[in-house]
Amino acid sequence: MKSFINVEDIGDLRQALAEAQEIKNERFKYQHLGRNKTLMMIFFNNSLRTRLSTQKAAMNLGMNVIVLDVNAGAWKLETERGVIMDGDKSEHLLEAIPVMGCYCDLIGVRSFAGLTDREYDYAETVLQQFIRYSGRPVFAMETATVHPLQAFADLITIEEYWAKEQAAATTGKGGGQPRRPKVVLTWAPHCRALPQAVPNSFAQWMNAADVDFVVTHPEGYELDPQFVGNARVEYDQRKAFEGADFIYAKNWSNPGVTNPADYGKITSKDMAWTVDSEHMAWTNNGKFMHCLPVRRNLIVTDEVIESPNSIVIPEAANREISCSVVIKRMLEAL
């Protein structure tokens, strides 16, 4: 695997999930793969779970790790071509990238959307330059449009909890034929304009998985069709939640699909979409999920995120596992 951006890059999902379970059971089994190898993690934006889980995964695999915070201690980088560099940016990314490649074996990149130029963001301009000019395998640690490590961890979590539900159903709770879990991605209000990377990837990975997938959001907040795929879009949040086994709450700013002028803007702050106990009562005793960090009592109420049905912490813990699978496969391909 030379790059990891979209669900197609992981190959067979069942095999990837089995590999995730193997690594979770024995996290240091493949330390030999990373011996004398170096991962460089490059952050253009802040991070907590991604930074910690990726570094931990690399260390589990025996790697050395270099972390570069571009906005703290490094030269300011210019990313645009053709500009006269007479401002505060001292180095161009086109020189910086191959230099970075000299010092490592793998590169992870985190670079958010600017939310002003949809074409620039959806072209993944920054990430693609790393893939083209670094000379190293590159994986996304969240980009302008995707967050595949998060979505993979989300799927691992859903698989684990659904397996428990199915096991309970066949041992004294009525039995019956196995069914696919109903998974709902719901928009929720936020005070800031956020990118679409997490919902894009979540939709992409759920479409590839064996689940009944529904996306719900206010009209005008339609995600890009390349990510929504064949998912059912329901504008009535209550209808979407009915019978759901997993609720994945996430805000995103306007994707500009129906009106390009709205791209990156907040065009709704409807607090009726905040996930509270009443919302969860519409589900099939559904589990609550969120990628974190989460704005309490805006995205979700205290009682929901603190309830026994909240699985946000195990979900975050699985970030180490999803990243371990990806790095392992990249090391095997060196």
Side-chain angles (χ1 to χ4, degrees):
M1 187 162 60
K2 294 296 185 182
S3 63
F4 177 70
I5 305 170
N6 297 309
V7 68
E8 294 85 2
D9 298 324
I10 204 70
D12 183 84
L13 270 184
R14 303 312 311 178
Q15 183 178 343
L17 288 165
E19 198 168 329
Q21 191 57 57
E22 177 194 19
I23 287 174
K24 194 165 187 176
N25 292 337
E26 196 173 348
R27 299 179 192 226
F28 306 104
K29 181 177 181 180
Y30 296 101
Q31 276 195 332
H32 62 282
L33 292 174
R35 189 174 298 122
N36 299 324
K37 299 291 195 303
T38 299
L39 167 66
M40 182 174 288
M41 299 163 58
I42 301 163
F43 291 90
F44 290 85
N45 302 92
N46 294 336
S47 175
L48 189 151
R49 275 148 298 277
T50 296
R51 180 167 181 162
L52 296 179
S53 62
T54 306
Q55 188 165 354
K56 181 65 165 63
M59 292 167 65
N60 290 353
L61 290 163
M63 298 191 78
N64 302 311
V65 181
I66 299 173
V67 179
L68 176 64
D69 289 309
V70 172
N71 298 316
W75 297 114
K76 289 188 177 180
L77 295 177
E78 178 58 66
T79 60
E80 300 279 0
R81 284 180 172 273
V83 298
I84 298 173
M85 291 176 59
D86 59 355
D88 64 344
K89 296 178 179 178
S90 305
E91 185 162 8
H92 201 287
L93 203 59
L94 292 179
E95 285 78 62
I97 289 173
V99 168
M100 294 175 193
C102 292
Y103 305 142
C104 64
D105 301 281
L106 303 180
I107 295 177
V109 180
R110 184 175 177 92
S111 179
F112 291 174
L115 296 179
T116 57
D117 184 335
R118 191 180 194 280
E119 183 177 352
Y120 180 90
D121 288 343
Y122 274 71
E124 291 291 4
T125 306
V126 173
L127 179 68
Q128 289 301 328
Q129 289 184 82
F130 276 92
I131 292 172
R132 185 172 180 182
Y133 298 115
S134 70
R136 302 298 180 194
V138 175
F139 63 91
M141 300 192 300
E142 187 168 3
T143 71
T145 66
V146 293
H147 198 351
L149 291 173
Q150 178 65 56
F152 187 15
D154 296 333
L155 179 57
I156 292 168
T157 308
I158 289 170
E159 287 284 318
E160 288 176 338
Y161 277 85
W162 188 242
K164 294 176 185 177
E165 292 287 331
Q166 292 297 95
T170 57
T171 55
K173 291 190 176 181
Q177 294 296 318
R179 64 178 180 86
R180 298 190 303 163
K182 181 178 179 181
V183 180
V184 177
L185 169 63
T186 181
W187 179 91
H190 203 281
C191 54
R192 296 178 56 202
L194 299 183
Q196 298 101 46
V198 170
N200 281 347
S201 276
F202 187 75
Q204 186 185 53
W205 284 68
M206 290 304 107
N207 275 315
D210 187 23
V211 303
D212 176 13
F213 182 49
V214 180
V215 182
T216 185
H217 53 71
E219 292 193 36
Y221 270 80
E222 291 78 9
L223 295 169
D224 193 291
Q226 68 176 304
F227 299 109
V228 175
N230 295 321
R232 178 162 61 90
V233 177
E234 175 57 70
Y235 296 107
D236 185 322
Q237 193 183 26
R238 179 165 187 159
K239 286 183 180 178
F241 274 48
E242 289 176 354
D245 301 292
F246 297 90
I247 298 296
Y248 197 103
K250 185 69 180 79
N251 173 266
W252 59 90
S253 60
N254 198 303
V257 172
T258 56
N259 184 1
D262 286 336
Y263 176 66
K265 296 180 180 178
I266 298 174
T267 52
S268 175
K269 289 185 178 179
D270 188 352
M271 293 291 288
W273 285 77
T274 300
V275 179
D276 59 17
S277 295
E278 180 182 354
H279 286 71
M280 295 303 293
W282 301 336
T283 72
N284 180 36
N285 194 34
K287 299 290 191 293
F288 176 81
M289 303 178 70
H290 189 278
C291 62
L292 302 181
V294 65
R295 300 269 185 153
R296 285 181 174 227
N297 302 306
L298 196 58
I299 297 286
V300 58
T301 59
D302 290 334
E303 69 250 26
V304 170
I305 198 167
E306 294 177 14
S307 75
N309 278 23
S310 172
I311 56 174
V312 297
I313 304 304
E315 179 186 359
N318 276 330
R319 290 293 307 279
E320 176 188 341
I321 307 306
S322 65
C323 194
S324 294
V325 174
V326 170
I327 294 176
K328 171 184 173 289
R329 290 187 174 195
M330 287 189 155
L331 288 170
E332 288 172 335
L334 288 178

